[in-house]
Amino acid sequence: MTWRAATRDDLDTYYTDEFPDYVDDLPSFITATGPKQYALAFDHPHPVRKDEVPDKDFVRRDTWQTDAAGERQQAEFDGFDDVLDFIQHPARNDPLGGSEFALADPGLLDQPDPRPDAVYYALDNWERPWVLLVDIDAKTIARERAADALPQDTSDRDDEALLEATGILDADPTGYPYAFEDVDQAIEYGFEVRDIFADDFDAEETMVVYSGQGVHVYLLDTDLAHRYDAQSREVLNDLLLESYDIPIDPVVTADRRRVARLPYSLHADVSRIVQPIESPQFDPRTATPAFLD
């Protein structure tokens, strides 16, 4: 099982031919106007219409126009087909429309329409503001494993030196800052977190998503009392990090304004499909897009 980065042609093929077939499988809270934003990352910066503004390799687009009080006024996307058009051809279908801050029309440039290197949606949601996500990354697990393997203090060594010294950079997938065993461990941790949600929080609605280089674990129960405010999120971080010793990214849990990889989008660094999974025995090889077959 080897990893490789997706090419521009791969991205074009995936989002044109494969991704549309997954749209009906998206979780119910991910709609055209539910998340407060969609975001795209590009492998090369693309200019905007205003000359003085730097080229963009990452853009966020609101799903609603709002008034001064933050109340919704007009939807930017009429349906998910509009979101899909934006993903497939960002500059031609920029929701900012005629704004001078919209992506520049590729027809007027000497460079093509950008292709998304990554597709994200905002965890902050108009309809379900209690959506909560825990991020577990194979890179974090590999770094901690490397530090534990060396007898001396490693606090002053950068990650690459540490991973090289312990042979992790040479392990499959060669050159990545983790080994496949770290990906497998992240998946196991993800299902452990799901069990903690069920046992400690009486959660009824959870979801584990393979993110390409780790997992995202969702707690989706309706929470009208406090909607997982800052304090409750910090308590959850402390519980997972200190009581259960699970190497999560606490910033992602705490900050509801973060974006997450859209399920069924492509993780271009490894050419794997981001997707919900049902078992800790999930094999990332099954997340292979058709262009690799």
Side-chain angles (χ1 to χ4, degrees), residues 29-42:
F29 63 93
I30 302 179
T31 63
T33 55
K36 291 191 175 182
Q37 292 181 325
Y38 282 95
L40 304 178
F42 307 129

Side-chain angles (χ1 to χ4, degrees), residues 225-263:
H226 50 78
R227 296 187 172 183
Y228 297 118
D229 57 15
Q231 182 177 2
S232 62
R233 289 167 185 258
E234 292 295 345
V235 169
L236 177 58
N237 275 338
D238 291 343
L239 175 70
L240 295 178
L241 287 167
E242 298 176 10
S243 298
Y244 288 98
D245 198 27
I246 295 176
I248 67 170
D249 183 341
V251 177
V252 173
T253 310
D255 188 358
R256 68 191 309 158
R257 297 169 299 179
R258 301 282 290 211
V259 296
R261 288 184 182 273
L262 183 68

